[in-house]
């Protein structure tokens, strides 16, 4: 069973992952976020690669190159989680 606050749990897990792993100059890889997503919320069975971007409305999973003068800043207000619920048969 999935917790009622599943969306908040996933968003916060992504931000926490970024806080722990992204430092000045660290590139941001969408694939690296998957373990955080799966561990954030019991009941998540599948997840596509997250789409990420430096602008609003990301459309693709990618790697964002970050210079040695930049720091990736993830924020729950800029994360959208789109669920696909499957009812077991």
């Amino acid at each position: 069973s999935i917790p009622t606050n599943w969306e908040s749990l996933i968003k916060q897990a992504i931000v926490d992952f970024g806080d722990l792993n992204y430092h000045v100059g660290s590139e941001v890889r969408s694939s690296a976020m998957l373990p955080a997503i799966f561990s954030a919320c019991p009941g998540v069975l599948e997840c596509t690669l997250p789409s990420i971007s430096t602008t609003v409305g990301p459309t693709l999973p990618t790697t964002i190159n970050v210079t040695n003068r930049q720091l990736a800043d993830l924020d729950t207000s800029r994360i959208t989680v789109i669920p696909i619920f499957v009812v077991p048969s």
Side-chain angles (χ1 to χ4, degrees):
S1 142
I2 296 176
T4 56
N5 63 337
W6 60 268
E7 185 177 14
S8 297
L9 291 171
I10 292 171
K11 287 181 176 187
Q12 190 59 54
I14 293 169
V15 170
D16 292 345
F17 174 83
D19 289 347
L20 288 172
N21 295 284
Y22 298 141
H23 310 285
V24 174
S26 297
E27 63 185 12
V28 178
R29 295 180 181 271
S30 58
S31 60
M33 297 175 189
L34 285 177
I37 293 168
F38 280 108
S39 65
C41 182
V44 173
L45 302 176
E46 189 172 337
C47 180
T48 60
L49 287 177
S51 297
I52 60 175
S53 177
T54 57
T55 60
V56 175
T59 58
L60 296 170
T62 190
T63 297
I64 298 173
N65 293 314
V66 179
T67 71
N68 62 358
R69 297 181 68 187
Q70 295 175 316
L71 174 65
D73 181 30
L74 306 180
D75 186 284
T76 58
S77 68
R78 297 188 308 264
I79 297 172
T80 302
V81 179
I82 301 170
I84 299 172
F85 293 106
V86 176
V87 178
S89 53

